[in-house]
Amino acid sequence: MNSLFRADNAPPPSRFNRRVSVCAEAFNPDEDEEDSEPRVVHPKTDEQRCRLQESCRDILLFKTLDQEQFSEVLDAMFELLVQPLEHVIDQGDDGDNFYVIERGVYDIVVMGVTVGQYDNKGSFGELALMYNTPRAATIVATQEGALWGLDRATFRRLIVKNNYKKRRMYETFIESVPLLKSLEANERMKIVDVLGSKQFPDGERIITQGEKAECFFIVESGEVKIMIKSKTKAGHADNAEVEITRCSRGHYFGELALVTNKPRAASAYAVGDVKCVVIDVQAFERLLGSCKEIMKRNIAHYEEQLVALFGSSMDLRD
Ligand SMILES: Nc1ncnc2c1ncn2[C@@H]1O[C@@H]2COP(=O)(O)O[C@H]2[C@H]1O
């Protein structure tokens, strides 16, 4: 991303101070040499900090940071303005920064093929920094946009180190999720590395029928009820929601829209206090692509439930 315009006076990334990638080395945060590097601070106006905070609000990788770590991350981030067709990242390069999107649409290109897109939200560039591997995809701005960058050293010191704790916290839970049983141990660890954790108070709507899907959930604690609004059965008033099922610890929901590329087919609500593991759509595609076949088997089951309830299954398949 050599030609990107930096909105502050941050030094341009230089090939000379980039580290050479090595293959996925074992990471021991206690031995990380970057720990001794000075704290990075890019001064910001109040207005910039507001925009930055808003852009970072739903970034899952930041969800497990404590308040002090989060504010260190915000201090270290710098603003970047991008032009149409600019390559923010080139596949195969060494990883210099992690990026959070403030605005703009960005194509994800792997081996010359567009495999996905970020649309005015989300983040990218974590893989090369987490695993010391070359960039796994090219990211191209399709229009003018704005990003917030976080340098490699700060990312490793705060996020990667935190992930070490996260692994210990979630290892056993992730192993116990039936859906993830078919994955290799290191694939499950990669899921832990990118997951976020979110809490929902009693009654809060977690996903909304008809909306675009951005993530997938696994219940960590509490209970979630899945409700559908259907116009297909006589006798059900329009807009009346009907409970379809409940999910408890280890169960997942929110996968259907990601498997079928359709809007959410149901809404989900917290019953009592609920804690869920959340995986965003890009990580889902990358890490859970191999589980999609297992998830697709559920479609027949969902359809049966809908026929029983409404006399018709709605249009669940892609
Ligand atoms: N399918 C995908 N394969 C690889 N990288 C992806 C994919 N989808 C999104 N990305 C993001 O693209 C980024 C490219 O740089 P990184 O490899 O550091 O991290 C990568 C991910 O954040």
Side-chain angles (χ1 to χ4, degrees), residues 89 108 110 115 118 123-129 134-137 139 282 286:
I89 286 179
I108 306 164
V110 178
V115 297
Y118 297 99
S123 62
F124 54 81
E126 74 292 357
L127 296 181
L129 308 188
R135 292 297 198 187
I139 305 291
Q282 265 80 27
R286 214 172 53 230

Side-chain angles (χ1 to χ4, degrees), residues 136-249:
T138 296
I139 305 291
V140 188
T142 65
Q143 53 183 229
E144 209 188 299
L147 297 168
W148 292 93
L150 179 67
D151 67 280
R152 172 195 178 92
T154 309
F155 182 91
R156 284 184 69 84
R157 189 165 53 77
L158 294 172
I159 314 285
V160 178
K161 208 163 192 174
N162 214 47
N163 270 359
Y164 208 63
K165 282 188 240 146
K166 226 162 85 176
R167 284 190 182 194
R168 282 202 297 266
M169 256 167 71
Y170 284 103
E171 217 162 4
T172 323
F173 172 63
I174 291 291
E175 264 171 36
S176 75
V177 174
L179 169 74
L180 308 177
K181 281 265 190 306
S182 64
L183 298 180
E184 305 274 341
N186 75 327
E187 290 174 316
R188 282 198 294 264
M189 278 309 94
K190 285 186 173 169
I191 289 180
V192 176
D193 286 344
V194 296
L195 63 76
S197 179
K198 274 196 187 174
Q199 305 206 26
F200 303 92
D202 183 31
E204 183 158 321
R205 190 164 55 212
I206 304 171
I207 59 175
T208 306
Q209 186 173 350
E211 283 192 352
K212 195 173 160 216
E214 253 126 39
C215 46
F216 157 82
F217 301 81
I218 306 172
V219 181
E220 248 186 285
S221 62
E223 211 180 12
V224 172
K225 65 177 176 187
I226 309 294
M227 309 278 288
I228 283 199
K229 229 187 261 179
S230 174
K231 295 175 185 163
T232 55
K233 188 180 179 184
H236 276 289
D238 280 2
N239 299 325
E241 285 190 319
V242 177
E243 184 173 327
I244 297 292
T245 189
R246 290 199 176 205
C247 303
S248 52
R249 183 174 164 84

Side-chain angles (χ1 to χ4, degrees), residues 51-52 55 79 100-104 106 120-121 146-148:
R51 283 191 285 115
L52 171 60
S55 306
E79 195 175 5
V100 170
I101 298 167
E102 181 179 321
R103 63 188 152 79
Y106 303 83
N120 282 286
K121 58 169 83 157
L147 297 168
W148 292 93

Side-chain angles (χ1 to χ4, degrees), residues 39-50:
R39 188 174 157 165
V40 178
V41 178
H42 290 289
K44 292 167 193 75
T45 62
D46 288 349
E47 183 269 337
Q48 275 181 311
R49 207 169 169 93
C50 264

